[in-house]
Short mmCIF file of all heavy atoms in Angstrom, two decimals:
data_model
loop_
_atom_site.label_atom_id
_atom_site.label_comp_id
_atom_site.label_asym_id
_atom_site.label_seq_id
_atom_site.Cartn_x
_atom_site.Cartn_y
_atom_site.Cartn_z
N LYS A 5 -28.65 80.06 -51.34
CA LYS A 5 -28.18 80.04 -52.72
C LYS A 5 -28.73 81.22 -53.51
O LYS A 5 -28.06 81.76 -54.41
CB LYS A 5 -28.58 78.73 -53.39
CG LYS A 5 -27.74 77.53 -52.97
CD LYS A 5 -28.19 76.27 -53.70
CE LYS A 5 -27.33 75.07 -53.30
NZ LYS A 5 -27.77 73.82 -53.97
N VAL A 6 -29.96 81.62 -53.19
CA VAL A 6 -30.60 82.72 -53.92
C VAL A 6 -30.14 84.08 -53.39
O VAL A 6 -29.86 84.99 -54.17
CB VAL A 6 -32.14 82.60 -53.81
CG1 VAL A 6 -32.82 83.79 -54.50
CG2 VAL A 6 -32.61 81.30 -54.42
N VAL A 7 -30.06 84.21 -52.07
CA VAL A 7 -29.69 85.50 -51.44
C VAL A 7 -28.58 85.23 -50.42
O VAL A 7 -28.83 85.26 -49.21
CB VAL A 7 -30.91 86.20 -50.81
CG1 VAL A 7 -31.77 86.85 -51.87
CG2 VAL A 7 -31.75 85.22 -49.99
N PRO A 8 -27.37 84.98 -50.87
CA PRO A 8 -26.30 84.55 -49.96
C PRO A 8 -25.90 85.60 -48.93
O PRO A 8 -25.30 85.24 -47.90
CB PRO A 8 -25.14 84.24 -50.91
CG PRO A 8 -25.43 85.01 -52.15
CD PRO A 8 -26.92 85.02 -52.27
N ASP A 9 -26.20 86.86 -49.17
CA ASP A 9 -25.74 87.91 -48.25
C ASP A 9 -26.77 88.29 -47.19
O ASP A 9 -26.49 89.14 -46.34
CB ASP A 9 -25.38 89.17 -49.06
CG ASP A 9 -24.23 88.92 -50.03
OD1 ASP A 9 -23.34 88.11 -49.69
OD2 ASP A 9 -24.23 89.52 -51.13
N LEU A 10 -27.95 87.68 -47.23
CA LEU A 10 -28.98 88.06 -46.27
C LEU A 10 -28.94 87.18 -45.03
O LEU A 10 -28.60 86.00 -45.09
CB LEU A 10 -30.38 87.94 -46.91
CG LEU A 10 -30.66 88.78 -48.14
CD1 LEU A 10 -32.14 88.73 -48.50
CD2 LEU A 10 -30.21 90.22 -47.96
N ASP A 11 -29.27 87.79 -43.89
CA ASP A 11 -29.41 87.01 -42.65
C ASP A 11 -30.68 86.17 -42.73
O ASP A 11 -31.68 86.56 -43.33
CB ASP A 11 -29.50 87.95 -41.45
CG ASP A 11 -28.19 88.68 -41.19
OD1 ASP A 11 -27.13 88.19 -41.62
OD2 ASP A 11 -28.24 89.77 -40.57
N ILE A 12 -30.64 85.01 -42.09
CA ILE A 12 -31.78 84.11 -42.05
C ILE A 12 -32.12 83.82 -40.59
O ILE A 12 -31.27 83.40 -39.81
CB ILE A 12 -31.48 82.79 -42.79
CG1 ILE A 12 -31.14 83.06 -44.26
CG2 ILE A 12 -32.68 81.83 -42.69
CD1 ILE A 12 -30.69 81.82 -45.02
N LEU A 13 -33.38 84.05 -40.23
CA LEU A 13 -33.87 83.80 -38.88
C LEU A 13 -34.91 82.70 -38.92
O LEU A 13 -35.89 82.79 -39.67
CB LEU A 13 -34.49 85.07 -38.28
CG LEU A 13 -35.30 84.89 -37.00
CD1 LEU A 13 -34.40 84.49 -35.83
CD2 LEU A 13 -36.10 86.16 -36.68
N VAL A 14 -34.73 81.68 -38.11
CA VAL A 14 -35.75 80.64 -37.93
C VAL A 14 -36.34 80.81 -36.54
O VAL A 14 -35.61 80.83 -35.54
CB VAL A 14 -35.15 79.22 -38.08
CG1 VAL A 14 -36.18 78.16 -37.69
CG2 VAL A 14 -34.69 78.99 -39.51
N VAL A 15 -37.66 80.97 -36.47
CA VAL A 15 -38.34 80.99 -35.17
C VAL A 15 -38.96 79.62 -34.98
O VAL A 15 -39.91 79.24 -35.66
CB VAL A 15 -39.40 82.09 -35.10
CG1 VAL A 15 -40.06 82.07 -33.72
CG2 VAL A 15 -38.78 83.46 -35.35
N ASN A 16 -38.39 78.87 -34.07
CA ASN A 16 -38.81 77.50 -33.77
C ASN A 16 -39.91 77.54 -32.73
O ASN A 16 -39.69 77.90 -31.58
CB ASN A 16 -37.59 76.71 -33.26
CG ASN A 16 -37.98 75.40 -32.64
OD1 ASN A 16 -38.80 74.67 -33.18
ND2 ASN A 16 -37.40 75.09 -31.47
N ASP A 17 -41.12 77.16 -33.13
CA ASP A 17 -42.28 77.30 -32.26
C ASP A 17 -42.50 76.06 -31.38
O ASP A 17 -43.50 75.35 -31.52
CB ASP A 17 -43.52 77.58 -33.11
CG ASP A 17 -44.74 77.95 -32.26
OD1 ASP A 17 -44.54 78.49 -31.15
OD2 ASP A 17 -45.87 77.71 -32.71
N GLY A 18 -41.54 75.81 -30.50
CA GLY A 18 -41.68 74.71 -29.55
C GLY A 18 -41.69 73.33 -30.20
O GLY A 18 -42.37 72.42 -29.72
N SER A 19 -40.91 73.17 -31.26
CA SER A 19 -40.88 71.88 -31.96
C SER A 19 -40.41 70.75 -31.04
O SER A 19 -39.56 70.95 -30.17
CB SER A 19 -39.94 71.96 -33.16
OG SER A 19 -40.40 72.91 -34.10
N ARG A 20 -40.95 69.57 -31.30
CA ARG A 20 -40.57 68.39 -30.51
C ARG A 20 -39.50 67.56 -31.21
O ARG A 20 -39.12 66.49 -30.72
CB ARG A 20 -41.81 67.53 -30.24
CG ARG A 20 -42.90 68.23 -29.45
CD ARG A 20 -44.04 67.30 -29.10
NE ARG A 20 -44.67 66.74 -30.29
CZ ARG A 20 -45.65 67.32 -30.96
NH1 ARG A 20 -46.12 68.48 -30.55
NH2 ARG A 20 -46.18 66.75 -32.03
N ASP A 21 -39.03 68.04 -32.35
CA ASP A 21 -38.00 67.29 -33.09
C ASP A 21 -36.71 68.12 -33.14
O ASP A 21 -36.47 68.95 -32.27
CB ASP A 21 -38.51 66.95 -34.50
CG ASP A 21 -38.83 68.19 -35.33
OD1 ASP A 21 -38.56 69.32 -34.86
OD2 ASP A 21 -39.35 68.03 -36.46
N ARG A 22 -35.89 67.91 -34.15
CA ARG A 22 -34.57 68.55 -34.23
C ARG A 22 -34.58 69.83 -35.07
O ARG A 22 -33.55 70.25 -35.58
CB ARG A 22 -33.57 67.56 -34.83
CG ARG A 22 -33.20 66.41 -33.89
CD ARG A 22 -32.25 65.43 -34.56
NE ARG A 22 -31.09 66.10 -35.14
CZ ARG A 22 -29.99 66.44 -34.48
NH1 ARG A 22 -29.91 66.21 -33.18
NH2 ARG A 22 -28.97 67.02 -35.09
N THR A 23 -35.73 70.46 -35.20
CA THR A 23 -35.83 71.67 -36.02
C THR A 23 -34.80 72.72 -35.62
O THR A 23 -34.07 73.25 -36.47
CB THR A 23 -37.25 72.27 -35.94
OG1 THR A 23 -38.19 71.35 -36.50
CG2 THR A 23 -37.32 73.58 -36.70
N ALA A 24 -34.73 73.04 -34.34
CA ALA A 24 -33.83 74.11 -33.88
C ALA A 24 -32.37 73.75 -34.15
O ALA A 24 -31.59 74.57 -34.65
CB ALA A 24 -34.05 74.38 -32.39
N ARG A 25 -31.96 72.53 -33.82
CA ARG A 25 -30.58 72.10 -34.02
C ARG A 25 -30.22 72.10 -35.50
O ARG A 25 -29.14 72.58 -35.89
CB ARG A 25 -30.39 70.70 -33.43
CG ARG A 25 -29.05 70.03 -33.76
CD ARG A 25 -27.85 70.89 -33.43
NE ARG A 25 -27.84 71.28 -32.03
CZ ARG A 25 -27.03 72.23 -31.52
NH1 ARG A 25 -26.21 72.89 -32.32
NH2 ARG A 25 -27.08 72.52 -30.24
N GLU A 26 -31.09 71.58 -36.35
CA GLU A 26 -30.79 71.53 -37.78
C GLU A 26 -30.71 72.93 -38.38
O GLU A 26 -29.87 73.20 -39.25
CB GLU A 26 -31.86 70.70 -38.50
CG GLU A 26 -31.79 69.22 -38.16
CD GLU A 26 -32.90 68.41 -38.80
OE1 GLU A 26 -33.58 68.95 -39.71
OE2 GLU A 26 -33.10 67.24 -38.39
N ALA A 27 -31.57 73.83 -37.92
CA ALA A 27 -31.53 75.21 -38.41
C ALA A 27 -30.25 75.91 -38.00
O ALA A 27 -29.61 76.62 -38.79
CB ALA A 27 -32.74 75.98 -37.90
N LYS A 28 -29.82 75.69 -36.76
CA LYS A 28 -28.59 76.30 -36.27
C LYS A 28 -27.38 75.73 -37.00
O LYS A 28 -26.46 76.47 -37.39
CB LYS A 28 -28.46 76.07 -34.76
CG LYS A 28 -27.35 76.85 -34.09
CD LYS A 28 -27.41 76.72 -32.57
CE LYS A 28 -28.66 77.37 -32.03
NZ LYS A 28 -28.69 77.37 -30.54
N ASP A 29 -27.37 74.44 -37.20
CA ASP A 29 -26.26 73.80 -37.92
C ASP A 29 -26.18 74.28 -39.37
O ASP A 29 -25.10 74.30 -39.97
CB ASP A 29 -26.41 72.27 -37.90
CG ASP A 29 -26.17 71.69 -36.52
OD1 ASP A 29 -25.63 72.40 -35.65
OD2 ASP A 29 -26.53 70.51 -36.30
N ALA A 30 -27.33 74.70 -39.93
CA ALA A 30 -27.36 75.20 -41.30
C ALA A 30 -26.96 76.66 -41.39
O ALA A 30 -26.91 77.22 -42.49
CB ALA A 30 -28.75 75.00 -41.90
N GLY A 31 -26.70 77.28 -40.23
CA GLY A 31 -26.18 78.64 -40.24
C GLY A 31 -27.20 79.73 -39.99
O GLY A 31 -26.88 80.92 -40.12
N ALA A 32 -28.42 79.36 -39.62
CA ALA A 32 -29.45 80.37 -39.37
C ALA A 32 -29.36 80.88 -37.93
O ALA A 32 -28.86 80.20 -37.04
CB ALA A 32 -30.83 79.78 -39.62
N ILE A 33 -29.85 82.09 -37.73
CA ILE A 33 -30.13 82.57 -36.38
C ILE A 33 -31.39 81.84 -35.91
O ILE A 33 -32.35 81.70 -36.67
CB ILE A 33 -30.39 84.09 -36.39
CG1 ILE A 33 -29.23 84.85 -37.03
CG2 ILE A 33 -30.66 84.61 -34.97
CD1 ILE A 33 -29.57 86.28 -37.41
N VAL A 34 -31.39 81.37 -34.69
CA VAL A 34 -32.54 80.58 -34.21
C VAL A 34 -33.07 81.16 -32.90
O VAL A 34 -32.31 81.42 -31.96
CB VAL A 34 -32.15 79.10 -33.98
CG1 VAL A 34 -33.35 78.32 -33.43
CG2 VAL A 34 -31.68 78.48 -35.29
N ILE A 35 -34.36 81.41 -32.87
CA ILE A 35 -35.08 81.75 -31.65
C ILE A 35 -36.09 80.63 -31.40
O ILE A 35 -36.81 80.25 -32.32
CB ILE A 35 -35.83 83.09 -31.76
CG1 ILE A 35 -34.85 84.24 -31.99
CG2 ILE A 35 -36.68 83.35 -30.53
CD1 ILE A 35 -35.54 85.57 -32.25
N SER A 36 -36.12 80.12 -30.17
CA SER A 36 -37.04 79.02 -29.88
C SER A 36 -38.04 79.42 -28.80
O SER A 36 -37.66 79.95 -27.75
CB SER A 36 -36.26 77.79 -29.41
OG SER A 36 -35.54 77.21 -30.47
N HIS A 37 -39.32 79.16 -29.06
CA HIS A 37 -40.34 79.26 -28.02
C HIS A 37 -40.24 78.02 -27.14
O HIS A 37 -39.96 76.92 -27.62
CB HIS A 37 -41.74 79.32 -28.64
CG HIS A 37 -42.02 80.58 -29.38
ND1 HIS A 37 -43.02 80.68 -30.32
CD2 HIS A 37 -41.43 81.81 -29.32
CE1 HIS A 37 -43.04 81.91 -30.80
NE2 HIS A 37 -42.09 82.61 -30.22
N SER A 38 -40.50 78.20 -25.84
CA SER A 38 -40.44 77.07 -24.90
C SER A 38 -41.53 76.04 -25.17
O SER A 38 -41.37 74.87 -24.87
CB SER A 38 -40.56 77.58 -23.46
OG SER A 38 -39.48 78.46 -23.17
N PHE A 39 -42.63 76.48 -25.73
CA PHE A 39 -43.73 75.58 -26.08
C PHE A 39 -44.42 76.14 -27.31
O PHE A 39 -44.18 77.29 -27.71
CB PHE A 39 -44.72 75.42 -24.91
CG PHE A 39 -45.26 76.72 -24.38
CD1 PHE A 39 -46.44 77.26 -24.89
CD2 PHE A 39 -44.59 77.41 -23.38
CE1 PHE A 39 -46.93 78.45 -24.42
CE2 PHE A 39 -45.08 78.62 -22.90
CZ PHE A 39 -46.25 79.14 -23.41
N ASN A 40 -45.28 75.34 -27.93
CA ASN A 40 -45.95 75.75 -29.15
C ASN A 40 -46.95 76.87 -28.87
O ASN A 40 -47.87 76.71 -28.09
CB ASN A 40 -46.66 74.53 -29.75
CG ASN A 40 -47.37 74.86 -31.05
OD1 ASN A 40 -48.59 74.88 -31.12
ND2 ASN A 40 -46.60 75.13 -32.10
#
């Protein structure tokens, strides 16, 4: 909402919940570590 034209990257540090899926569904680029 604040910066609609900027890319957003979420680095998921081996989360055990739905962090990666929720971030991807929200439109972010997602990189996931295999473990924390």
Side-chain angles (χ1 to χ4, degrees):
K5 285 181 179 179
V6 177
V7 283
D9 298 327
L10 300 190
D11 292 337
I12 300 174
L13 167 68
V14 172
V15 181
N16 167 44
D17 189 27
S19 298
R20 299 185 300 273
D21 61 6
R22 289 178 51 84
T23 296
R25 170 53 57 192
E26 291 176 13
K28 190 172 294 185
D29 290 346
I33 305 164
V34 178
I35 297 174
S36 289
H37 291 160
S38 299
F39 54 92
N40 181 249

